[in-house]
Amino acid sequence: MPNTFFRFRHFVVHQELCAMKVGTDAVLLGSWATGGKRILDIGTGTGVVALMMAQRFPQAEVHAIDIEPQACRQAVENVAASPFAGRVQVRCISVQHFAEEACSEGGYDAIVSNPPFFENALKAPEEARMRARHNDTLPYDQLFQAVGKLMTTDGEFSAIIPFNYKERLEEEAARAGMFVSKLCAVRTTPRKPVKRYLMAFKKLPLEECQKEEGLLETAPGVRSEWYRQLTADFYL
């Protein structure tokens, strides 16, 4: 049974109410994504990525949204107990509705999301977990349409996805008029193939996409230097 909380250096994330627990993907995204003065976390779950971004960017105002009431309740509690309570706001709303409502308030210069990624796959039996993992309620085209409305012209949208969804995300980004600005291929161990991708997108094309490769472990239970440095401000 998963722990009911996850302790970082500067805050604690409780997760008993959330279908999706704190995992490597969220920690990678929160450690890697570009920040700004106004940051939006789409599908915040426990609030872990929003809290990581608030820690990394101390001048930022962070908004976090999710469609699951229990997840939002958990995120509100985690934010309230953190040192960043005055700068992080949580709302229970879909990004589609949020985009329609918020675009008159000014854009976000950084948007992050650990999006639902399984398409046309066997659904998990628990409804909340299913919605967190499957993109039925947030198809990729709608995700990029919302990001396009919410993000400033020079802003950046960062996400983490399984390796086999890279082309799918690139296609939807292109349809929305966005370009890959950064790409990090992540392996779990040196001999394993790429397991996931960290990807960043901009509205304006760059001369060259920044590419790198990350490694989680050099041996079972031994964090690589890349992963250790990336997460040094978070892991105990």
Side-chain angles (χ1 to χ4, degrees):
M1 184 175 181
N3 289 335
T4 59
F5 66 91
F6 197 103
R7 188 177 299 279
F8 292 91
R9 284 187 182 272
H10 300 291
F11 58 89
V12 176
V13 175
H14 291 271
Q15 55 185 3
E16 68 274 8
L17 300 180
C18 287
M20 297 302 294
K21 311 304 181 185
V22 174
T24 302
D25 283 6
V27 174
L28 280 170
L29 180 63
S31 301
W32 181 84
T34 300
K37 292 182 179 178
R38 298 188 79 232
I39 301 172
L40 174 66
D41 178 20
I42 300 172
T44 195
T46 61
V48 59
V49 176
L51 289 168
M52 292 177 75
M53 297 298 282
Q55 178 182 319
R56 288 177 58 212
F57 303 97
Q59 304 304 316
E61 173 188 350
V62 182
H63 292 171
I65 61 174
D66 204 295
I67 61 170
E68 287 297 329
Q70 288 290 83
C72 289
R73 176 185 161 192
Q74 188 96 81
V76 167
E77 292 174 356
N78 287 331
V79 167
S82 78
F84 320 114
R87 296 190 291 111
V88 182
Q89 299 178 25
V90 180
R91 286 193 60 190
C92 190
I93 187 173
S94 72
V95 70
Q96 295 95 325
H97 286 109
F98 186 74
E100 294 300 328
E101 173 187 299
C103 44
S104 62
E105 299 178 6
Y108 294 90
D109 48 3
I111 299 178
V112 294
S113 183
N114 183 2
F117 47 77
F118 291 120
E119 295 181 299
N120 303 316
L122 184 64
K123 301 290 194 296
E126 185 183 349
E127 184 180 356
R129 182 173 172 82
M130 178 197 77
R131 285 198 290 200
R133 289 173 64 83
H134 295 264
N135 75 348
D136 297 35
T137 56
L138 184 55
Y140 294 140
D141 59 339
Q142 293 184 27
L143 172 62
F144 275 99
Q145 287 169 16
V147 167
K149 292 178 182 177
L150 291 162
M151 193 167 69
T152 60
T153 302
D154 59 350
E156 190 164 76
F157 169 50
S158 302
I160 185 166
I161 55 166
F163 73 96
N164 52 329
Y165 283 80
K166 174 177 173 287
E167 290 185 5
R168 181 80 174 86
L169 216 65
E170 287 175 331
E171 290 172 0
E172 290 301 342
R175 289 192 181 98
M178 294 185 200
F179 306 86
V180 180
S181 55
K182 294 193 301 182
L183 179 68
C184 180
V186 181
R187 300 176 188 270
T188 52
T189 62
R191 296 186 178 182
K192 293 286 182 68
V194 173
K195 184 73 172 178
R196 51 178 70 82
Y197 284 97
L198 288 154
M199 303 183 73
F201 303 87
K202 283 183 170 289
K203 291 182 176 180
L204 301 175
L206 280 71
E207 290 185 7
E208 187 176 356
C209 171
Q210 299 178 35
K211 295 182 179 180
E212 64 174 325
E213 187 168 297
L215 180 68
L216 298 185
E217 297 182 336
T218 55
V222 181
R223 291 177 190 157
S224 71
E225 183 64 15
W226 176 83
Y227 191 40
R228 189 189 66 77
Q229 289 189 10
L230 186 70
T231 59
D233 290 337
F234 297 104
Y235 281 142
L236 295 172

